[in-house]
Amino acid sequence: MELSKMEPIVKRFYEGVAKGEYWGRKCPECGAIEFPPHLMCNSCGNRDTEWVRLTGHGKLLSLVLPGIQNNKPYLKDEGKYGYGAVQMDEGPIYTFVVYGLTKKNRPELNRRIKAGETIGVHPKNVQRDGWVELCFELDDDVKESLKK
Ligand SMILES: [Zn+2]
């Protein structure tokens, strides 16, 4: 995948990610935000959405750890990771790679999620061949609290 060949919406998303800007599309009809952005609103079907900048901060709703067969080297090089459903502070939910998830802290994270605690995550960009992949990592206060 080359940035120059991406569709404009996808391109703007990845250009933003590389600069630390997180752009979604907001529906003026129902207020839903698509992130990562789509042209159409998936909530009401409206085709007339507009750009909205997100903070990039979110919370972890659930997690899955990769098995031996699907542990990707380019991701592993950046640290231990898993996959998580991330809800952005502005509302949209999507699955991302999340750094800091381990076999050791998984039970505690699951317990906290079940208890309704907020597990904050923020972007961690991973450089790929010609583009930047948006991943997330646990917030520092979460990491700190897991050490205890
Ligand atoms: Zn809508």
Side-chain angles (χ1 to χ4, degrees):
M1 179 162 55
E2 279 177 47
L3 210 55
S4 62
K5 290 179 185 163
M6 289 179 191
E7 292 174 54
I9 290 242
V10 178
K11 188 167 182 261
R12 173 147 179 192
F13 171 73
Y14 281 108
E15 283 175 347
V17 168
K19 289 188 285 189
E21 295 175 5
Y22 306 96
W23 292 95
R25 299 285 295 184
K26 186 172 185 172
C27 174
E29 289 297 315
C30 74
I33 295 174
E34 297 292 335
F35 184 81
H38 303 275
L39 263 182
M40 252 180 84
C41 175
N42 276 321
S43 296
C44 75
N46 178 23
R47 291 168 182 271
D48 225 8
T49 59
E50 47 202 38
W51 287 108
V52 61
R53 188 169 168 182
L54 280 66
T55 61
H57 191 265
K59 64 177 180 179
L60 188 66
L61 299 180
S62 66
L63 62 138
V64 177
L65 295 179
I68 291 166
Q69 315 89 316
N70 59 6
N71 201 349
K72 299 194 175 91
Y74 77 88
L75 290 172
K76 208 165 60 176
D77 288 350
E78 299 283 324
K80 289 194 171 161
Y81 74 93
Y83 297 95
V86 172
Q87 180 165 33
M88 306 306 294
D89 287 355
E90 295 82 359
I93 299 169
Y94 198 74
T95 303
F96 292 98
V97 167
V98 180
Y99 283 91
L101 308 181
T102 66
K103 261 186 195 157
K104 203 178 158 199
N105 66 27
R106 174 172 54 184
E108 174 62 12
L109 285 169
N110 277 328
R111 188 196 66 74
R112 292 186 193 185
I113 290 167
K114 220 172 180 179
E117 288 179 40
T118 299
I119 312 292
V121 295
H122 60 276
K124 172 185 167 70
N125 292 350
V126 173
Q127 187 64 47
R128 302 288 302 275
D129 191 16
W131 58 290
V132 173
E133 180 171 345
L134 172 59
C135 300
F136 282 80
E137 70 180 330
L138 295 175
D139 283 352
D140 287 343
D141 63 324
V142 175
K143 276 195 252 179
E144 212 39 54
S145 71
L146 288 166
K147 284 181 189 162
K148 285 163 198 161

